[in-house]
Amino acid sequence: MALRNISVLNVVGFICFLLAAFWLKWAMTNSRMLNDETSKANLSSASQNATPLIEALEKYRADNGFYPITLNVLNAGYHSSRSMHSLLYSANLGDWIFKSQACTARQKSLQGWIMETTDKYQSQVAQFQSECVAGYRNYALQSGDFPPSPNTYGFERWAYYTSVKKQWELGWCSHDRRSSSAFNGVCRW
């Protein structure tokens, strides 16, 4: 019995050690990304360039009660800047506003274990959005990738904004041989 307790303690201790090591690696990388001078300058520039778009989205929401499902809806009455085409505009599923109860029920068929190719599934989601989603409660914007710098080699970096926080943050992504991980946004490598 005593040996069993020791082995359980060893396993728990090892798991705690691994979690602490992963957290420490993430914290050090995040600090390196946030303290990089080029990251700060790129973040400031992206924020300035997107300000007219954010103002247009807020005006659209004031007029309609929700944000649009695509930036193409923003006509010249709202926004005419080219910056809207360089940003990834998205919303979480929980922020979608459905056109009808039937759409709410239909949305459930897009969740769970999907036995389709990625292309086919993405096509189904796009069709569903065009037919059933009226707008978004909240949204996120992600800039294109920043140019690489000597201090951030091997990382993607971008500006990330959410309508909930109403502030720009640095997003980044690292890749290793087996996987990639992102902080504030979507890896595109």
Side-chain angles (χ1 to χ4, degrees):
M1 183 75 161
L3 287 175
R4 178 181 251 171
N5 288 340
I6 291 173
S7 65
V8 169
L9 288 175
N10 287 342
V11 169
V12 169
F14 182 71
I15 290 171
C16 289
F17 171 78
L18 285 177
L19 290 173
F22 284 124
W23 180 86
L24 183 61
K25 180 181 177 188
W26 176 86
M28 290 174 59
T29 302
N30 193 48
S31 176
R32 189 172 95 198
M33 295 295 113
L34 292 174
N35 292 317
D36 179 65
E37 288 302 317
T38 60
S39 292
K40 292 176 185 177
N42 293 141
L43 187 60
S44 176
S45 176
S47 171
Q48 279 183 320
N49 291 340
T51 297
L53 175 60
I54 292 169
E55 290 170 354
L57 286 164
E58 293 303 327
K59 183 176 181 336
Y60 185 94
R61 182 174 189 231
D63 291 349
N64 297 285
F66 50 81
Y67 297 107
I69 62 169
T70 176
L71 296 179
N72 295 335
V73 173
L74 298 176
N75 58 30
Y78 290 103
H79 182 63
S80 61
S81 173
R82 289 176 276 143
S83 70
M84 66 189 253
H85 299 293
S86 64
L87 297 166
L88 176 62
Y89 175 70
S90 62
N92 292 326
L93 180 62
D95 286 320
W96 293 5
I97 299 171
F98 299 114
K99 294 178 181 176
S100 69
Q101 290 291 24
C103 287
T104 303
R106 185 175 156 202
Q107 172 265 333
K108 292 179 182 170
S109 70
L110 298 172
Q111 295 177 334
W113 192 264
I114 309 295
M115 300 299 288
E116 301 285 353
T117 64
T118 302
D119 292 341
K120 188 172 181 180
Y121 176 71
Q122 288 174 339
S123 175
Q124 289 173 346
V125 170
Q127 181 180 359
F128 171 79
Q129 282 186 297
S130 70
E131 294 171 0
C132 286
V133 180
Y136 299 145
R137 286 179 192 84
N138 294 295
Y139 68 89
L141 291 174
Q142 182 175 330
S143 73
D145 292 346
F146 297 158
S149 80
N151 294 333
T152 62
Y153 180 77
F155 290 87
E156 285 178 63
R157 297 169 301 130
W158 55 78
Y160 187 76
Y161 177 89
T162 65
S163 60
V164 173
K165 289 185 177 181
K166 298 205 183 300
Q167 69 183 27
W168 284 95
E169 297 178 336
L170 182 70
W172 57 267
C173 178
S174 67
H175 303 277
D176 63 23
R177 291 173 292 205
R178 295 165 298 214
S179 65
S180 63
S181 58
F183 177 70
N184 280 340
V186 179
C187 291
R188 288 179 240 172
W189 270 358

